[in-house]
Amino acid sequence: MPPLPRDFFARDTLQVARDLLGQVLVRLLDGERLSGRIVEVEAYIGEDDLASHARFGRTSRNEAMYGPPGHAYVYQIYGLHHCLNIVTEAEGFPAAVLIRALEPLEGLEQMRQRRGVADPVLLTAGPARLCQAMEIDRRLDKADMCAPDAVLFVDAGAPVPDDQVATGPRVGVQGDLRARTVPWRFYIRDHPCVSGRRTTRDVR
DNA sequence: GGATCGATCGGCT
DNA sequence: GCCGATCGATCCG
């Protein structure tokens, strides 16, 4: 099964974020295949988005966001956690989708060992949790997720209909009013693996 | 259930 | 020097 093509990511970031729900994130590791269905994402769009790492312009840390679409942007936060984004839109414009939660599908045993918990819901419900479960760290920053030999990529999954999609403000964003209220978080309604609080609001 | 706090460090204003 | 797109432990009610 080939990964989703670069064209999928070279689109409007809100559209990519919404369409990523239901797709399958795959990590090849130690000859095994770890995977999970994407159930929660957030969009970060341009330097004018005051919640984005690109708000201060291009730096060595956020360089991947300015690169070609379909590549990973992996950063470390609070000194100990990692978060995975997938770069979107045209090269040169800093935008990406943060992968916030998965429903684990394959490789649960390996995930349990890495996470140190047994409950499947707690394996990948949260941006740092899923990175720990799949051993995603800064070595994968800028990795091409559309390459034929990628060890991290997105496979096609069953589409999620609009009536199962909810939106809301992004988690953990503070400060600027627009940045913290704009509904750029997308998640599958009532899914147990979604992290954080669950406001309910329909897509359109 | 909710609020609060510490961990831990690279990048930045 | 300050602080963060988080998590888990702990305390309170």
Side-chain angles (χ1 to χ4, degrees):
Chain A
M1 242 196 291
L4 289 186
R6 202 171 313 282
D7 284 355
F8 178 90
F9 301 102
R11 297 182 296 145
D12 174 80
T13 303
L14 294 178
Q15 201 59 57
V16 175
R18 191 257 173 263
D19 292 346
L20 272 173
L21 294 177
Q23 314 285 1
V24 179
L25 182 71
V26 181
R27 169 75 162 121
L28 303 181
L29 187 64
D30 301 334
E32 271 196 67
R33 183 181 158 105
L34 313 184
S35 73
R37 181 176 176 236
I38 297 172
V39 299
E40 181 186 3
V41 298
E42 282 174 5
Y44 290 85
I45 308 173
E47 295 180 344
D48 294 337
D49 177 0
L50 296 181
S52 171
H53 289 168
R55 66 189 178 280
F56 301 128
R58 187 175 188 145
T59 67
S60 56
R61 178 214 213 183
N62 65 26
E63 203 170 26
M65 292 187 78
Y66 290 80
H71 287 242
Y73 167 43
V74 182
Y75 65 91
Q76 193 180 14
I77 191 160
Y78 299 108
L80 63 164
H81 298 303
H82 295 274
C83 294
L84 167 69
N85 298 250
I86 308 178
V87 177
T88 57
E89 305 206 26
E91 181 168 3
F93 182 78
V97 175
L98 170 70
I99 309 298
R100 283 199 59 91
L102 308 174
E103 171 193 330
L105 296 177
E106 302 170 278
L108 292 252
E109 267 324 303
Q110 254 202 74
M111 293 186 191
R112 284 196 179 97
Q113 288 182 7
R114 285 207 165 69
R115 289 275 302 120
V117 296
D119 184 351
V121 168
L122 293 178
L123 289 179
T124 52
R129 287 169 172 168
L130 71 90
C131 283
Q132 185 185 25
M134 291 186 163
E135 197 172 299
I136 294 167
D137 57 34
R138 301 232 305 226
R139 289 172 299 183
L140 286 169
D141 187 37
K142 296 184 178 174
D144 185 358
M145 298 179 66
C146 303
D149 61 345
V151 295
L152 179 67
F153 56 91
V154 181
D155 259 350
V160 178
D162 273 351
D163 63 4
Q164 289 175 30
V165 175
T167 67
R170 294 171 292 183
V171 174
V173 172
Q174 295 149 43
D176 180 78
L177 178 64
R178 172 169 160 83
R180 69 172 194 259
T181 54
V182 74
W184 287 355
R185 174 181 181 225
F186 299 81
Y187 56 98
I188 298 181
R189 180 191 311 283
D190 298 327
H191 195 288
C193 295
V194 167
S195 73
R197 48 208 75 54
R198 288 170 215 190
T199 49
T200 31
R201 174 127 132 258
D202 292 329
V203 159
R204 235 146 306 265

